[in-house]
Amino acid sequence: MEFYIPIIGLGVAVFTLIFLVLRTRVHVLIAMLMAAIIAGISGGLTISHVIEVISKGFGTTLGSIGIVIGLGSMMGRILEVSGATERIAYSLVKWLGQKREEWALAITGYIVSIPIFVNSAFVILYPLVKALAKKGKRNVLTLGVSLAGGLVVTHHIVPPTPGPLGVAGIFGVSIGSMMLAGAILAIPCVIGITLYAKWLETKYPEYQLSDAEENLQQVHQRYLEEKANKPLPSLFLSLLPIVVPIVLIFMNVINGMVLKIDGFAGQENHFYFQMFNFLGSPIIALAISVLLAVYTLMPKVSQQEVIEHLESGLKTVGIILLVSGAGGALGAVLNESSTGTILAQYIADLPITPVLIPFIIATLIRIIQGSGTVAMITAASISAPVISHIPDINMLVAAQAAVMGTLFFSYFNDCFFWVVNRMMGIKNVKQQIIVWSIPTTIAWGIGLCGVLLLNFVM
């Protein structure tokens, strides 16, 4: 019986976590800490040792991702208030031409949601959706869902978005590898949602917005007036803070692969590799990005105003940092106790590849409580200590599985579900599900295939 106590304890811990989040006023941070305490004690740790492990796990996780999350949020805020986001969208629409607006918006969403929070990005860009729908006589559902699809996929998969960063820290994979794999796996998911969005034009050919039409027109008019008085930055300067850190981090990842080749073995101390090892570290790369954003996108803005924008960006990530740290604490407790080892023995014998365990857990928690960030952090916290005991497991693939699972069936308990549907004036529940819940599930299915293919390759 003692053999099963850790597993039963983990079940009680997860149930407690979900119950407290759904049915009580206890915040998810406290709920995760309570779950960690239950899992630790049932796993054979003393109370004092549990607290010690929680503190260590919390600190270790934030030590690897905390600064990066903060810098990414500051960069995103500058892109948001400077108009760089709109410039990227307008330029892509102009390049791709009429009748391809949905692809321009999907690509825009794919790019801008890497540094900017998904809800803010959709609200900022939705007036453009309205303008394009009116000017090009396009279906607003097709354009709106294409934009939202591009936004939601990279928001869930590609760092420096906080959720994927937290998962990378818990699984112990490099942020550069997480970015590269996520950016590639996100492409077919975005394509799938955009093709579905084009089908919506056929299903609802005469779609008309609800009574909110006039109000949204007024919002759009104010938007145009603001932009008339505030010139947008150039496309080059708009993309620079996004592209530079990605290139630097990717170069560092590629150099790491090159150094494993026989001909380059022992060249780690060469100036070239040392330089990109420094510049390509996520902290330095994103610090450079923030400086580029401040001095190129807001060159004439006062010091006080710039600092206010940067600090307002930091305010949005405080709770995400705490939840990510709590997830790391829960994972550390499971790793320190006997629970992870015991579960690993059972999972290794299951008729599925173990990398799907975080995918399944993330999917279930996403359905239950709605938040993609909480779902992926929880799934990573539970599964990482378990599958790390199984030989021949690629932790990068497992981390991608954890973030992919959270794309499943966005519905009523997901705040972005309401942002998308309410902005487009959709009130019918069935139509809300068809318009947004189904496309996210399509992306989830495509993402699952991508994870399995990546697992096969690696």
Side-chain angles (χ1 to χ4, degrees):
M1 182 62 184
E2 291 182 3
F3 188 72
Y4 294 100
I5 288 177
I7 297 178
I8 296 171
L10 176 60
V12 172
V14 173
F15 174 81
T16 302
L17 169 62
I18 294 172
F19 176 80
L20 290 176
V21 172
L22 290 180
R23 297 296 182 183
T24 71
R25 289 178 290 178
V26 175
H27 193 274
V28 63
L29 170 64
I30 299 175
M32 292 187 81
L33 292 176
M34 293 177 68
I37 292 171
I38 294 171
I41 294 174
S42 63
L45 303 180
T46 63
I47 294 178
S48 59
H49 194 192
V50 168
I51 301 303
E52 180 184 331
V53 173
I54 286 175
S55 299
K56 183 179 178 181
F58 190 96
T60 300
T61 301
L62 289 190
S64 63
I65 64 167
I67 297 176
V68 178
I69 290 178
L71 291 170
S73 300
M74 288 193 289
M75 175 185 65
R77 181 60 180 164
I78 298 298
L79 292 174
E80 189 178 320
V81 299
S82 66
T85 303
E86 291 94 333
R87 168 58 67 194
I88 294 169
Y90 276 112
S91 299
L92 286 169
V93 169
K94 183 179 178 180
W95 285 351
L96 291 176
Q98 197 173 12
K99 301 303 179 184
R100 296 192 185 92
E101 295 92 345
E102 65 275 12
W103 293 106
L105 289 169
I107 295 170
T108 299
Y110 175 93
I111 295 172
V112 304
S113 190
I114 294 175
I116 299 177
F117 281 98
V118 63
N119 291 358
S120 300
F122 189 81
V123 172
I124 291 169
L125 292 172
Y126 186 71
L128 177 59
V129 171
K130 291 279 295 179
L132 290 173
K134 186 176 180 180
K135 180 182 177 182
K137 297 181 180 179
R138 297 296 309 275
N139 188 298
V140 72
L141 296 184
T142 296
L143 301 187
V145 171
S146 297
L147 171 63
L151 290 169
V152 79
V153 171
T154 49
H155 175 77
H156 279 74
I157 299 173
V158 185
T161 306
L165 271 178
V167 172
I170 292 170
F171 275 96
V173 302
S174 75
I175 295 172
S177 299
M178 192 76 175
M179 288 178 68
L180 182 60
I184 294 172
L185 292 177
I187 293 173
C189 296
V190 173
I191 292 173
I193 291 181
T194 306
L195 292 175
Y196 181 85
K198 288 172 68 68
W199 173 80
L200 287 174
E201 201 164 22
T202 304
K203 183 170 180 61
Y204 300 107
E206 304 298 327
Y207 184 75
Q208 298 293 326
L209 289 176
S210 64
D211 296 335
E213 170 88 24
E214 186 62 32
N215 183 45
L216 286 172
Q217 286 181 346
Q218 294 172 1
V219 171
H220 178 56
Q221 186 60 38
R222 286 198 301 272
Y223 169 83
L224 291 178
E225 290 172 359
E226 289 174 4
K227 295 308 169 190
N229 299 323
K230 176 186 171 185
L232 297 176
S234 69
L235 179 62
F236 175 77
L237 294 181
S238 298
L239 286 172
L240 197 63
I242 300 174
V243 173
V244 166
I246 291 175
V247 170
L248 290 174
I249 292 171
F250 282 0
M251 283 297 296
N252 193 24
V253 173
I254 293 170
N255 286 342
M257 296 177 181
V258 169
L259 287 171
K260 294 179 181 178
I261 301 174
D262 292 340
F264 292 91
Q267 298 294 316
E268 294 85 357
N269 295 325
H270 189 279
F271 175 75
Y272 168 82
F273 292 109
Q274 284 289 303
M275 179 181 67
F276 276 104
N277 188 43
F278 174 74
L279 297 176
S281 64
I283 291 175
I284 301 301
L286 283 167
I288 293 172
S289 175
V290 174
L291 291 174
L292 285 172
V294 169
Y295 284 101
T296 61
L297 297 177
M298 308 184 80
K300 298 179 181 179
V301 178
S302 67
Q303 177 188 12
Q304 185 60 36
E305 189 176 347
V306 168
I307 291 174
E308 287 177 1
H309 287 315
L310 293 174
E311 291 182 351
S312 67
L314 286 176
K315 290 176 184 176
T316 60
V317 299
I319 191 58
I320 295 175
L321 285 170
L322 291 174
V323 170
S324 299
L330 175 57
V333 167
L334 294 177
N335 196 43
E336 189 76 13
S337 67
S338 59
T339 310
T341 306
I342 294 171
L343 275 175
Q345 295 173 1
Y346 284 100
I347 291 173
D349 295 329
L350 291 176
I352 61 171
T353 174
V355 296
L356 287 184
I357 299 302
F359 181 86
I360 295 168
I361 296 174
T363 300
L364 292 174
I365 296 176
R366 162 73 163 179
I367 296 170
I368 293 169
Q369 58 80 48
S371 169
T373 300
V374 173
M376 66 178 70
I377 293 295
T378 306
S381 305
I382 294 171
S383 59
V386 175
I387 63 177
S388 63
H389 293 284
I390 302 175
D392 301 324
I393 294 295
N394 189 299
M395 298 300 276
L396 173 61
V397 180
Q400 285 297 322
V403 298
M404 281 293 184
T406 60
L407 288 172
F408 185 75
F409 201 77
S410 167
Y411 75 125
F412 310 126
N413 56 5
D414 178 13
C415 63
F416 194 54
F417 172 90
W418 296 110
V419 171
V420 172
N421 281 299
R422 290 290 171 82
M423 289 292 288
M424 293 193 292
I426 304 170
K427 296 181 178 178
N428 179 273
V429 173
K430 180 181 177 182
Q431 196 172 21
Q432 288 174 340
I433 291 173
I434 292 173
V435 166
W436 188 237
S437 302
I438 292 178
T440 57
T441 307
I442 290 172
W444 171 85
I446 295 172
L448 171 60
C449 296
V451 167
L452 291 174
L453 179 61
L454 183 64
N455 187 50
F456 175 77
V457 171
M458 300 187 69

